[in-house]
Amino acid sequence: MKKVVFLTIAMFCFVLTGFSQNENAEFKPTGKPFIKVFSNYHTTFADGNTTPAFEITRAYLGYNVKLNNEFSGNVTLDVGDPATGKLQMTAFLKNAYFKYQKSNLTVNFGLISTLMFKVEETVWGNRYLEKTFADKYKLGSSADLGVSVAYKFSDVFSADMSVINGEGYKSLQSDDALRTTLGLTVKPVKKLTLRSYYDFMGQDATQSSIAGFIGYTAETISVGASYNKQMNFGMTEGHDVSGISVFGSVKASDKVKVLARFDDLGSSTLAGESTAWNLSKDGQLIIAGIEFKPVKGLILTPNFQGWNPAKDGESFVTSLYLNCELKF
């Protein structure tokens, strides 16, 4: 692990010292603030009970700055529900990094966006509605402390790697269990994306993840499918989780889109046990809705969400949502 970290940092320093000589002295730094808010109203039906609720699930406040033609930076504050059950909001520093980008090379350093499901999230395109599979079921975090390097070898093939803290941006404590990631992205034909991903962290019970994704995006249609598996979830021996996610959308017009998604999450059964170790959280998710964009910066999506628990005897949970994204 120490060799991997050393080589990554050495490569990072080489990149900066080797290319920073081309800085344009006449370039005037520019910056732009941004705000993005996710909210919803929903009613949930389960076991004969009806539960209505208003939520503001996320508010991103940030600033992008471009220092010259190659160096830029980002600071983003994430204000969200910490899931304590007390309806309070907690602020986290989600991103605080600088980026070096020249030709086909991109380097990020600091509190960076992670690479595990970034490609899938781009094709899904509905983060305000729901996280992607690996993010939703806590196989990885969307941001973390570390360094990432990506290189585009051609229009067809690109690769990336990173070394990150492994705890996510909400838990930045220092330890010796770093998470090393490797990713390959292939675009064999226009509009089609294939991606494979692998990461590992820990020593005694090494947690490792594998993922595969295929996505197709055109002007009026977007579809994607992924498979994710994490061995020794939480660095606990034998605690494996895996599943698939399939989604798609069709544009009826520039302002209207029909979308749907299906997730299937399962976990392994330990030796000597008769049920899966994470059975209470295993199940299937169904989402179907219609997205409206009445004005620039505003998205309204009435949708149906259903959860089918894997555990016998538990009832199907039905929810009717009106999700909203506001950004400017």
Side-chain angles (χ1 to χ4, degrees), residues 93-121:
L93 185 62
K94 181 169 185 177
N95 290 125
Y97 66 86
F98 70 81
K99 175 192 290 187
Y100 175 85
Q101 187 168 25
K102 183 176 177 64
S103 299
N104 296 326
L105 176 68
T106 302
V107 180
N108 290 285
F109 182 80
L111 186 50
I112 62 176
S113 296
T114 58
L115 305 171
M116 185 176 193
F117 43 80
K118 195 171 185 64
V119 173
E120 180 178 353
E121 188 172 74

Side-chain angles (χ1 to χ4, degrees), residues 47-290:
D47 296 323
N49 298 316
T50 301
T51 307
F54 283 99
E55 290 183 318
I56 297 179
T57 55
R58 277 289 183 275
Y60 295 116
L61 314 174
Y63 192 84
N64 290 314
V65 61
K66 191 170 179 63
L67 302 175
N68 63 16
N69 290 324
E70 298 161 2
F71 286 92
S72 59
N74 172 281
V75 175
T76 302
L77 191 66
D78 179 356
V79 183
D81 180 3
T84 61
K86 296 181 180 179
L87 301 179
Q88 62 188 31
M89 303 295 282
T90 300
F92 295 92
L93 185 62
K94 181 169 185 177
N95 290 125
Y97 66 86
F98 70 81
K99 175 192 290 187
Y100 175 85
Q101 187 168 25
K102 183 176 177 64
S103 299
N104 296 326
L105 176 68
T106 302
V107 180
N108 290 285
F109 182 80
L111 186 50
I112 62 176
S113 296
T114 58
L115 305 171
M116 185 176 193
F117 43 80
K118 195 171 185 64
V119 173
E120 180 178 353
E121 188 172 74
T122 300
V123 178
W124 165 235
N126 302 297
R127 172 60 185 86
Y128 72 98
L129 187 63
E130 186 54 86
K131 302 175 183 178
T132 54
F133 185 97
D135 194 8
K136 176 176 176 59
Y137 304 114
K138 305 186 184 307
L139 305 188
S141 177
S142 59
D144 207 340
L145 277 173
V147 57
S148 68
V149 180
Y151 192 83
K152 184 179 179 181
F153 293 92
S154 68
D155 291 339
V156 175
F157 176 70
S158 61
D160 55 75
M161 70 168 294
S162 68
V163 178
I164 55 179
N165 186 45
E167 302 290 341
Y169 66 98
K170 295 181 181 180
S171 180
L172 299 177
Q173 67 264 29
S174 176
D175 55 37
D176 59 357
L178 298 179
R179 191 169 187 169
T180 302
T181 81
L182 300 169
L184 301 175
T185 302
V186 179
K187 298 183 177 181
V189 296
K190 189 177 180 180
K191 302 176 183 178
L192 179 65
T193 301
L194 307 174
R195 179 166 172 82
S196 60
Y197 171 90
Y198 172 75
D199 72 37
F200 63 92
M201 69 179 293
Q203 296 177 352
D204 295 335
T206 301
Q207 174 186 288
S208 60
S209 310
I210 58 172
F213 173 73
I214 179 171
Y216 177 83
T217 303
E219 291 184 6
T220 59
I221 187 172
S222 177
V223 294
S226 68
Y227 171 78
N228 292 267
K229 183 172 183 177
Q230 189 165 95
M231 287 71 74
N232 297 335
F233 179 90
M235 290 183 283
T236 303
E237 188 70 37
H239 282 199
D240 301 345
V241 294
S242 62
I244 62 169
S245 180
V246 181
F247 56 82
S249 64
V250 177
K251 279 188 176 181
S253 69
D254 290 340
K255 295 186 176 184
V256 180
K257 180 174 74 175
V258 179
L259 57 89
R261 173 172 154 181
F262 173 78
D263 292 355
D264 188 1
L265 173 69
S267 57
S268 60
T269 301
L270 302 176
E273 300 291 334
S274 59
T275 60
W277 74 268
N278 202 35
L279 182 63
S280 63
K281 296 183 179 179
D282 293 345
Q284 299 170 329
L285 173 70
I286 302 169
I287 300 175
I290 303 177

